[in-house]
Amino acid sequence: MSGAHAPHVIVGVTGGIAAYKACEVIRRLTEQGVDVTVVPTLSALRFVGEATFAALSGHPVATDVWTEVQDVPHVTLGRHADAVVVVPATADFLARAAQGRSDDLLGAVLLTTRAPVVVAPAMHTEMWEHPATRANVATLRSRGIVVLEPAVGRLTGPDSGKGRLPEPTSIADVVLQALRRGGALPDLLGRHVVVSAGGTREPIDPVRFIGNRSSGLQGYALAAMAAGRGARVTLVSANVDLADPAGVDVVRVGTAAELDAAVHAAAADADAIIMAAAVADFAPVEVADHKLKKDVAPPAIALRRNRDVLASLVEARRPGQVIVGFAAETGDAEGSVLEHATRKLAVKGCDLLVVNDVSGAEGFGSATNTITILAANGSQQAFHSMSKQAVADAVLDAIAEQLPASQ
Ligand code: CTP
């Protein structure tokens, strides 16, 4: 973080077993130059001691409204925060926050702050799915709070399901994103964004496939940024070796046909669909059920064409849905990068095409991208050597501009 003064973030911690993971969030934020004040509830302190929070944040821990009353902490803390994150958030906390209770310091902070608030719930699946919790989450979201979807995985004890705290680093990333956006409130709340990422693999036999070099970095950055801006995000991930972004529902696929089915299933109620995945145009007609041996004549592999998922989404589009394609292009004798891309936008019929010039070193697997966003209405915006996060924000800005006003 740069700037005249370090941004100030309140990390609220509530009483769940995942409270120890808040330590990792605090550490990551302080490493990035953020000034952190920890506000644990009394039950959080039964899981992690005050000394740990004080040592990690470098500040005394604010626990109740009765300490240092002359400083009016229940008002000043919230007022001076640049962002507030609650990690983990229990079902009880969500209920109290939805009611606007302020009988502890964290409740008071939430009522006094006007900064972006990110809440990372963790609880058992039954509690997360209970209608009372659903209603509380909906209330908080309707007030502009980013409530991250919990991850699916192992819960406390032997059971597993939805309710796990997302990875602490990815929660910290959402907070850093909110700080970078300078206090702008989440503009994709209530929207469903579907992102495809990675590269499909078309099997030849049980050990071989036809694949491509897509790393999934750009698609994952888009999913993370959309969740940080408040959207419900479905990430259809094809063969990506990256940590799940916080607050995102991940659907894993292998082949183009699986990706096609998963994206269409999620698209039914989507407000925006971003096809960042590199989808194989062809797949072997036959997949051998045994490993092909080399002591035969080299096999010719007959290929069939896969459906163009992007074009099929455009055909099935519902009113107001914004559909975004990606195109990795190089110039050639037939035309420049932008000429190829303009033709592709017209052929595919999508609303936006994010054009990635891959003639140079950037593109697959690189940390930065130089892109142009072409819109069906003819507008063009160019962005040079931007981080994939910044590209993601630019693409989401372009989408937000096209989305019809929400009812
Ligand atoms: N795409 C798709 N389904 C396919 C192939 C591509 O949905 N079977 C999508 C990609 O996700 C991307 C866009 O189409 O958003 C453009 O992909 P690209 O490979 O550049 O375009 P192609 O249509 O395959 O054209 P070509 O390879 O001939 O340039």
Side-chain angles (χ1 to χ4, degrees), residues 196 256 259 274-281 306-311 313 324-329 344 348 353:
S196 72
L259 182 140
I274 310 174
M275 283 294 296
V279 186
D281 292 319
N306 286 326
R307 173 160 87 144
D308 187 320
V309 184
L310 184 56
L313 288 165
V324 185
F326 266 69
E329 298 284 350
K344 193 169 279 181
K348 303 253 184 185
L353 191 71

Side-chain angles (χ1 to χ4, degrees), residues 51 59 130 172 262 390:
H59 290 300
H130 193 282

Side-chain angles (χ1 to χ4, degrees), residues 333-348:
E334 311 281 299
S336 69
V337 166
L338 279 187
E339 283 164 350
H340 281 300
T342 308
R343 270 197 293 273
K344 193 169 279 181
L345 175 65
V347 170
K348 303 253 184 185

Side-chain angles (χ1 to χ4, degrees), residues 42 50 60-74 76-77 105:
L42 288 177
E50 200 173 323
V61 168
T63 47
D64 64 68
V65 286
W66 305 114
T67 314
E68 296 178 16
V69 178
Q70 69 284 2
D71 296 336
V72 208
H74 74 286
T76 46
L77 275 174
L105 194 52

